[in-house]
Amino acid sequence: MTEHTDAPETGDHQVTTQVGPWLVTYVWADDAAQGGPIELSIKPAPDADPAALARGITTSTLRAIPLANVIEARKKAQATNQQRHNFVLHAATQEIRRMVKEDPRPGSRGRPDLFYVMVAFAYAIQALRSKSPVNALAQATEADRRTAENWIRLARERGTLSSPTPGMPGGKWTPKAEQALAEYMAQSKEDEGTN
């Protein structure tokens, strides 16, 4: 009997599990898909014993593929990701509103980098959910569309939001944005501890 790993390695649109000496990769059409994958590939694991690979892919290997488990794990991961996105979207839009309220017209000094980090997170999540993410961002932050477009442009210029790509039409937040957010959250916790 062929064994498989219980914890699949997940990506945005694919999951990989190991079944005996084989790596099985499951590919979904998009992150919103709730059903099964549209593609499966089976390749030798990099550290596989050549003797175990000598027989090739057998019917036992195919029967051991944990398709139902992988689909269920992906659904759970999507639900968790949805909750995280809801939290981040709410926090980012609240922070954007607060910053705009405190400094409605920053003039030539501009807004701090943290502002564009929040724009990157809010816009990227809106782009996953809305056919009109600019309007959704503007509405959520109580800004007009032109202002929201300018924020998005500046977030890209500051390196907190990537350019649009196939599969990510609004772009996504960058590692620079993730790092800045982590530093901001660590500082916030530190500030709370001193009060």
Side-chain angles (χ1 to χ4, degrees), residues 186-195:
Q187 183 62 46
S188 295
K189 284 182 181 178
E190 192 175 296
D191 292 346
E192 284 177 11
T194 59
N195 290 336

Coordinates of all heavy atoms in Angstrom, one line a residue, residues 186-195:
A186 N 4.1 44.8 15.3 CA 5.0 44.6 16.5 C 5.2 45.9 17.3 O 5.1 45.8 18.5 CB 6.4 44.2 16.0
Q187 N 5.3 47.0 16.6 CA 5.4 48.3 17.3 C 4.1 48.6 18.1 O 4.1 49.1 19.2 CB 5.7 49.4 16.4 CG 5.9 50.8 17.0 CD 7.0 50.8 18.0 OE1 8.1 50.3 17.6 NE2 6.8 51.4 19.1
S188 N 2.9 48.3 17.5 CA 1.6 48.5 18.2 C 1.5 47.7 19.5 O 1.1 48.1 20.5 CB 0.5 48.2 17.3 OG 0.4 49.0 16.2
K189 N 2.0 46.4 19.4 CA 2.0 45.5 20.6 C 2.9 46.0 21.6 O 2.6 46.0 22.8 CB 2.3 44.1 20.2 CG 1.2 43.4 19.5 CD 1.6 42.0 19.2 CE 0.5 41.3 18.4 NZ 0.8 39.9 18.1
E190 N 4.1 46.5 21.2 CA 5.0 47.1 22.1 C 4.5 48.3 22.8 O 4.6 48.5 24.0 CB 6.3 47.4 21.4 CG 7.5 47.7 22.2 CD 8.8 48.0 21.4 OE1 9.2 47.0 20.7 OE2 9.3 49.1 21.4
D191 N 3.8 49.2 22.0 CA 3.2 50.4 22.6 C 2.1 50.1 23.6 O 2.0 50.7 24.6 CB 2.6 51.3 21.5 CG 3.7 51.9 20.6 OD1 4.9 51.9 21.0 OD2 3.4 52.4 19.5
E192 N 1.3 49.0 23.3 CA 0.2 48.6 24.2 C 0.8 48.1 25.5 O 0.3 48.3 26.6 CB -0.6 47.5 23.6 CG -1.6 48.0 22.5 CD -2.3 46.8 21.9 OE1 -2.3 45.7 22.4 OE2 -3.0 47.1 20.8
G193 N 2.0 47.4 25.4 CA 2.6 46.9 26.6 C 3.2 47.9 27.5 O 3.3 47.7 28.7
T194 N 3.5 49.1 27.0 CA 4.1 50.2 27.8 C 3.0 51.0 28.4 O 3.3 51.9 29.3 CB 5.0 51.1 27.0 OG1 4.3 51.6 25.9 CG2 6.2 50.2 26.6
N195 N 1.7 50.9 28.0 CA 0.6 51.7 28.5 C 0.0 51.1 29.7 O -0.1 50.0 29.9 CB -0.4 52.0 27.5 CG 0.1 53.0 26.4 OD1 1.1 53.7 26.7 ND2 -0.4 52.9 25.2

